[in-house]
Amino acid sequence: MNKKILVTGGAGYIGTHTCIALHAAGYDIVVYDNLSNSSREAINRVSILIGQPIDFIEGDIRDAESLRQAFVDHRFFGVIHFAGLKAVGESVTKPLLYYNNNVSGTITLLEVMRQYNVKNLIFSSSATVYGDPKFLPIDESSSRSCTNPYGQSKLTVEHILEDLAVSDESWNLIPLRYFNPVGAHPSGQIGEDPNDIPNNLMPYISQVAVGKLPKLSIFGNDYPTIDGTGVRDFIHVTDLAQGHVAALDYLKQQTSIEEHGSDEKSSDKKNSIGFLPINLGTGKGTSVLELVAAFSKVSEQNIPYHFVSRRAGDIASCYASADKAKDMLKWRAKLSITDMCQDTWRWQSMNPNGYDGSI
Ligand code: NAD
Ligand code: UD1
């Protein structure tokens, strides 16, 4: 059975954790990454953790020739597509870069996949496609809208995937809508390594705790939430990685029913996955202040903070309905906020300079 997976963006934060989970589940992986937001050191550490070298191709998803070569050299069952740029603020100042990388890059990848008849894809989407949700918890049928180019690029790719599934039912396309991934591998060897001053809450808190940044600015304390600060659905990155394995297992199972099912079954359209969006979240909301308190307790560090005005584009509360993932993928997040803080803290304190320092 073909268990070879192309992992675009596999050198990044979520990609590295997913490579480890895929390897443990018996999948063969080939990582394709241009290292624009990651490093060879991340790949080295994944190799050490899995006990064998990683098959790594340094390449850009917008480079069709280089992608084609990967498909000539390997026979893939499917692709997990993490490669993309993800900084919301930067996307506002560089929209063309974001649309080019995230949208044009994905179109190039899909064209090459079609050329080599590899039509199984798991795509990194985001809860950002729900915009300001009309109800909570957010389920997959909620309306979608985005206000910044990063979010638009994710939504546009989702629309492209929907159209593709309509045009040709042999595609199996699963956008996974991540809520707020945090945490790190329990070994402390891999984790999130922001290039600059972090934009997101958890890396900011951990850099304050380790003494790299003086204090946290909390964006708003007047939201209609439990304590006035924003509420998010934080999910441990290893749970998230396991969600990709579950989605891939589901895809494999469904497509093998198609290949090997009875005549009646193989003509049954239910076995064609088409476009199947699934939330990956815990279903539980945690406020900014609650996360700060949890991190402070775990790390035994004081985390100075002050309140500043709301950040443009932020919403009050956002958490997932995780029912679809539970019902269809038989997956649910298992790790707690304490686990998320503990593993982030281990990674941060063992690697105060991320992958740049040595351990
Ligand atoms: P990351 O930046 O750590 O990883 C992305 C990887 O893609 C990097 O290694 C980067 O070098 C690579 N890459 C970028 N553009 C590329 C290109 N044109 N060709 C080849 N490689 C390229 O980000 P992450 O946090 O691991 O996120 C992975 C995916 O999940 C992204 O698509 C992101 O938008 C999405 N996502 C992330 C979050 C989050 O909070 N981290 C939330 C929702 C969705
Ligand atoms: C942000 C992005 C979203 C992206 C997600 C994961 C914006 C508007 N949204 O979501 O598109 O999918 O990251 O990458 O950027 N906070 C502070 N101080 C900080 C940082 C954050 O108070 O220094 C607060 C925020 O106001 C928010 C919460 O912490 O209430 C979480 O913020 P963050 O980690 O940036 O995630 P999101 O805003 O959910």
Side-chain angles (χ1 to χ4, degrees):
M1 204 193 268
N2 182 4
K3 292 198 112 187
K4 195 175 260 198
I5 309 298
L6 179 68
V7 185
T8 77
Y13 171 47
I14 304 170
T16 45
H17 291 84
T18 303
C19 285
I20 291 173
L22 289 170
H23 174 79
Y27 287 97
D28 301 322
I29 49 180
V30 176
V31 169
Y32 187 96
D33 199 303
N34 67 359
L35 302 180
S36 59
N37 196 36
S38 50
S39 63
R40 276 183 189 278
E41 179 58 15
I43 298 279
N44 292 341
R45 292 195 189 179
V46 174
S47 303
I48 292 167
L49 287 167
I50 68 173
Q52 67 181 62
I54 293 270
D55 216 333
F56 174 60
I57 301 166
E58 185 170 347
D60 195 297
I61 51 165
R62 293 164 295 182
D63 181 347
E65 245 345 284
S66 156
L67 268 179
R68 273 191 210 104
Q69 194 57 51
F71 281 76
V72 167
D73 293 343
H74 302 273
R75 199 169 70 83
F76 296 116
F77 166 74
V79 177
I80 303 188
H81 178 32
F82 293 107
L85 298 174
K86 63 169 181 177
V88 174
E90 185 186 52
S91 80
V92 175
T93 56
K94 298 177 180 167
L96 295 179
L97 174 67
Y98 272 67
Y99 287 118
N100 184 358
N101 202 77
N102 295 4
V103 180
S104 304
T106 302
I107 292 173
T108 303
L109 172 66
L110 290 166
E111 282 171 343
V112 173
M113 288 175 69
R114 185 177 54 186
Q115 190 179 345
Y116 290 89
N117 201 30
V118 176
K119 292 184 171 174
N120 300 318
L121 176 81
I122 292 170
F123 169 65
S124 297
S125 188
S126 166
T128 198
V129 300
Y130 295 120
D132 196 349
K134 295 199 177 52
F135 57 86
L136 293 165
I138 306 169
D139 71 32
E140 289 80 353
S141 65
S142 302
S143 61
R144 290 172 290 167
S145 69
C146 290
T147 52
N148 59 69
Y150 166 72
Q152 284 294 357
S153 75
K154 292 290 171 191
L155 190 48
T156 304
V157 170
E158 284 207 4
H159 288 315
I160 291 168
L161 299 181
E162 277 174 284
D163 291 342
L164 196 56
V166 169
S167 74
D168 172 356
E169 65 178 29
S170 61
W171 283 96
N172 300 301
L173 304 162
I174 306 185
L176 295 176
R177 295 178 181 152
Y178 312 152
F179 279 67
N180 289 61
V182 296
H185 191 265
S187 65
Q189 304 284 323
I190 59 167
E192 187 168 13
D193 183 18
N195 265 338
D196 220 334
I197 293 177
N199 298 309
N200 297 118
L201 181 62
M202 184 66 116
Y204 206 108
I205 291 177
S206 66
Q207 292 199 11
V208 171
V210 85
K212 276 182 85 177
L213 293 169
K215 71 174 158 189
L216 170 72
S217 297
I218 297 185
F219 302 141
N221 61 349
D222 57 352
Y223 284 109
T225 59
I226 181 175
D227 54 24
T229 65
V231 165
R232 295 293 184 272
D233 186 341
F234 298 101
I235 174 169
H236 197 297
V237 67
T238 60
D239 271 337
L240 193 78
Q242 217 46 59
H244 291 74
V245 174
L248 208 48
D249 287 348
Y250 176 79
L251 238 164
K252 262 214 153 298
Q253 187 195 359
Q254 292 298 307
T255 50
S256 78
I257 292 171
E258 270 184 19
E259 276 169 25
H260 307 300
S262 65
D263 285 351
E264 196 190 341
K265 266 206 158 164
S266 42
S267 63
D268 183 349
K269 295 285 181 291
K270 270 186 270 174
N271 291 332
S272 174
I273 288 178
F275 175 81
L276 182 69
I278 299 185
N279 287 342
L280 292 185
T282 65
K284 188 175 169 294
T286 301
S287 76
V288 173
L289 281 175
E290 286 172 333
L291 189 68
V292 170
F295 201 97
S296 186
K297 190 171 174 200
V298 158
S299 63
E300 298 177 344
Q301 302 295 313
N302 180 33
I303 297 166
Y305 64 82
H306 66 144
F307 293 111
V308 298
S309 44
R310 293 179 178 191
R311 180 171 67 180
D314 272 359
I315 53 176
S317 297
C318 173
Y319 51 92
S321 160
D323 290 348
K324 192 171 174 184
K326 187 161 137 265
D327 295 343
M328 299 195 74
L329 307 183
K330 313 293 174 220
W331 169 91
R332 67 180 177 82
K334 296 192 176 116
L335 298 171
S336 67
I337 288 286
T338 301
D339 298 319
M340 300 177 211
C341 293
Q342 250 157 8
D343 291 334
T344 304
W345 179 235
R346 188 178 302 106
W347 155 253
Q348 181 68 69
S349 35
M350 283 171 69
N351 308 270
N353 298 314
Y355 290 114
D356 282 347
S358 57
I359 53 168

